[in-house]
Amino acid sequence: MTDQISATEVAEQQTPATASTRKVFVKTYGCQMNVYDSERMTDALAKDGYEATTTLEDADLVLLNTCHIREKAAEKVYSQLGRLRDMKKARAKEGRDFMIGVTGCVAQAEGDEILRRAPAVDLVIGPQTYHRLPEALRRAKQGERVVETDYAIEDKFDHLPAPQKAQTRARGVTAFLTVQEGCDKFCTFCVVPYTRGSEVSRPMDKIVAEAERLVEAGVREITLLGQNVNAWHGIGPDGVELGLGALLGRLSKIEGLARIRYTTSHPRDMDDALIAAHRDLPKLMPYLHLPVQSGSDRILKAMNRRHTAAEYVALIGRIRAVQPDLAISGDFIVGFPGESEADFEDTMALVRTVGYAQAFSFKYSTRPGTPGAEMDGQVPEGVKSERLERLQALLFQQQTAFAAGCVGKEIDLLLEKPGRMPGQLVGRSPWLQPVNVDAKGSEIGDIVRVRITGAGPNSLFAEAIG
Ligand code: 5AD
Ligand code: SF4
């Protein structure tokens, strides 16, 4: 799962305070899955009278929904906890309550250790037990320091309240929907199989019901989420085993739903039905995030990716053959243990062959407990930095070229939010680029026909037509 929206703060609905309302501030780190979870936790707490706030000073409860994917992401949490501890002390002097909770993957991975390192923390809740949050909060209020990091047997989604219409509407016309969690792939660099557990797919009927609720509340685009989303499998109404391609087909029948996306996928799970979905479903956007991590077969093997560079390139070719308009995005790690200059050059060569519209690249970060941490040939930081710089220069060049290639095209744009200039709205292109347009007379949620007139490094400009 990519953490492409790194350290996204979840902007929740703000409503006027009353004397009795308590307020929760949720700070989300990491991937889209955490964004989705933060929303579900906010919904669960709303039932207990908590209103969401985006102002830390107003909060009675702070939840840090954390990411453990790289060392830096995990360390951020402890520095943030230091600041919150000081706030808690100041509040205590005023006689005001202030509770601190840690959720997400750091909570799962470090559990009790967080309570030891950060005495101001009141509760620690792992991703599988979010539905127990209100109860945990009640116990914490009675003075217990709560740690909930079991893999719950019950399905948390059955116990979390479904999003309410008003809340959904306030969150906008695009929404995330988690369909699958966890990972059984065990790439040797990755903590996810340990923090999110083994692969679990949510049942099709529940996903469809949730999607319908979102659409009824005004959502026009849904992104299906999973750490390994294309490993999703379920049982159809006739008892037949289905994969993600079939789920996409079912969802695309929902009237009013205009666009569907999914992320993040593993190359091994791109089956024929899913590839065919890219050909057959107009609502499925022509964008595919398909991480490869490295272009060297030796390193791919050491990473336990279970495919070669050539297999990945061939797979991209098969998908492009049915959907030539496809924008490819990827994740890369440089400086995995044992990576030589020649291995790195193989990655550069793969990037040149594929041509990415967008990509995320990282220096390998040693994660305790993963096989990679024990491997010989750890690469010096300086070498990693230098390789990352070269790779990112190439990827940036490709992203810029892809954007420049969009100029002159006519596309449908889903208007998502106000732009910076008066009268301007911002939407996403089918290829996920932000697009600024003067769309007088149009509203957020409309899909308008536009012509791309310009391309900046990170966004496009367009004029409305027709
Ligand atoms: N070090 C660096 N990057 C990592 N990723 C996952 N684990 C690590 C690690 N230990 C990257 C991968 C993955 C993305 C979400 O984060 O590229 O696809
Ligand atoms: Fe998402 Fe957890 Fe991975 Fe962070 S470690 S990116 S929260 S799955």
Side-chain angles (χ1 to χ4, degrees):
M1 175 99 243
T2 190
D3 63 344
Q4 51 191 274
I5 8 179
S6 56
T8 316
E9 220 166 287
V10 178
E12 295 292 352
Q13 187 186 10
Q14 239 180 315
T15 34
T18 63
S20 62
T21 37
R22 288 160 297 170
K23 296 206 164 192
V24 56
F25 176 94
V26 184
K27 170 121 179 136
T28 308
Y29 300 87
C31 61
Q32 294 100 322
M33 204 98 155
N34 271 6
V35 175
Y36 178 84
D37 287 342
S38 290
E39 290 174 353
R40 291 287 74 73
M41 286 190 276
T42 308
D43 295 345
L45 289 169
K47 278 202 151 175
D48 271 18
Y50 276 93
E51 279 176 9
T53 178
T54 50
T55 311
L56 182 57
E57 284 64 35
D58 291 347
D60 308 287
L61 166 66
V62 173
L63 294 180
L64 301 184
N65 195 10
T66 62
C67 174
H68 200 245
I69 197 93
R70 284 172 290 275
E71 192 179 354
K72 236 194 223 159
E75 281 308 316
K76 262 188 211 159
V77 176
Y78 286 103
S79 58
Q80 184 68 22
L81 285 174
R83 284 192 286 276
L84 292 175
R85 174 198 56 208
D86 297 342
M87 269 187 84
K88 191 171 185 167
K89 274 190 199 149
R91 289 285 185 90
K93 280 191 193 143
E94 297 166 17
R96 267 179 81 190
D97 270 354
F98 188 65
M99 300 193 76
I100 305 172
V102 179
T103 63
C105 294
V106 176
Q108 187 64 40
E110 303 197 1
D112 290 315
E113 176 65 15
I114 298 174
L115 295 189
R116 268 195 294 278
R117 267 183 80 175
V121 170
D122 299 287
L123 61 158
V124 174
I125 305 205
Q128 312 312 324
T129 42
Y130 290 155
H131 54 296
R132 298 187 192 157
L133 178 60
E135 172 58 26
L137 203 54
R138 273 188 280 280
R139 279 158 54 203
K141 277 182 185 155
Q142 285 158 9
E144 186 185 340
R145 297 185 81 203
V146 180
V147 178
E148 286 267 13
T149 51
D150 306 343
Y151 288 104
I153 316 159
E154 69 272 21
D155 179 352
K156 69 176 168 191
F157 293 110
D158 285 346
H159 298 268
L160 282 167
Q164 299 301 300
K165 235 182 193 168
Q167 288 161 329
T168 304
R169 213 166 266 151
R171 286 171 187 150
V173 295
T174 62
F176 292 133
L177 201 176
T178 293
V179 302
Q180 179 279 341
E181 266 193 280
C183 182
D184 293 340
K185 295 280 187 298
F186 289 93
C187 299
T188 53
F189 51 79
C190 191
V191 288
V192 168
Y194 314 98
T195 57
R196 291 276 178 168
S198 55
E199 264 176 42
V200 178
S201 295
R202 290 179 69 193
M204 188 178 211
D205 53 347
K206 293 196 179 156
I207 295 167
V208 172
E210 187 168 331
E212 284 172 346
R213 275 184 81 98
L214 289 169
V215 172
E216 269 166 37
V219 166
R220 309 231 50 205
E221 174 180 304
I222 293 178
T223 302
L224 305 184
L225 299 180
Q227 264 97 25
N228 212 334
V229 72
N230 60 343
W232 182 88
H233 56 95
I235 306 288
D238 44 8
V240 175
E241 177 91 8
L242 300 171
L244 187 66
L247 178 63
L248 291 166
R250 173 64 190 86
L251 292 172
S252 73
K253 293 204 178 98
I254 299 177
E255 219 174 297
L257 177 61
R259 298 173 157 207
I260 312 174
R261 303 177 187 274
Y262 62 95
T263 197
T264 284
S265 298
H266 192 287
R268 287 281 298 234
D269 292 321
M270 285 306 299
D271 64 15
D272 291 345
L274 183 52
I275 295 175
H278 279 278
R279 179 193 62 208
D280 300 336
L281 304 177
K283 290 184 183 181
L284 181 58
M285 291 295 100
Y287 180 93
L288 176 63
H289 182 69
L290 195 63
V292 65
Q293 317 295 355
S294 169
S296 153
D297 287 346
R298 226 170 52 82
I299 297 300
L300 286 169
K301 191 158 199 276
M303 286 176 162
N304 191 33
R305 291 290 291 176
R306 294 187 276 167
H307 62 79
T308 63
E311 282 163 355
Y312 176 84
V313 171
L315 174 61
I316 298 279
R318 280 173 57 214
I319 310 166
R320 275 186 169 147
V322 302
Q323 173 48 287
D325 203 21
L326 196 73
I328 305 284
S329 150
D331 290 343
F332 297 89
I333 296 176
V334 301
F336 186 79
E339 186 188 75
S340 66
E341 180 60 24
D343 293 318
F344 174 68
E345 277 303 333
D346 287 345
T347 301
M348 295 288 276
L350 178 137
V351 170
R352 285 189 200 99
T353 304
V354 171
Y356 287 88
Q358 205 190 13
F360 305 89
S361 45
F362 314 98
K363 288 193 266 185
Y364 172 68
S365 168
T366 310
R367 307 310 290 129
T370 60
E374 311 296 322
M375 287 182 187
D376 293 337
Q378 301 284 332
V379 176
E381 276 306 302
V383 175
K384 287 185 202 168
S385 301
E386 188 267 334
R387 286 182 189 161
L388 187 66
E389 218 172 280
R390 277 152 67 201
L391 176 61
Q392 289 188 336
L394 176 60
L395 290 168
F396 183 73
Q397 202 183 316
Q398 293 193 340
Q399 183 177 327
T400 314
F402 182 82
C406 294
V407 176
K409 283 190 184 167
E410 289 181 10
I411 60 164
D412 288 334
L413 188 64
L414 169 60
L415 300 173
E416 290 182 22
K417 56 183 182 187
R420 281 210 200 111
M421 304 293 168
Q424 206 178 50
L425 292 173
V426 184
R428 295 262 177 188
S429 76
W431 313 288
L432 210 56
Q433 303 136 299
V435 183
N436 303 284
V437 64
D438 281 318
K440 286 177 201 74
S442 301
E443 290 177 28
I444 289 170
D446 288 350
I447 294 180
V448 291
R449 193 78 185 155
V450 303
R451 182 181 300 112
I452 312 282
T453 53
N458 296 310
S459 59
L460 301 174
F461 301 89
E463 59 188 16
I465 50 176

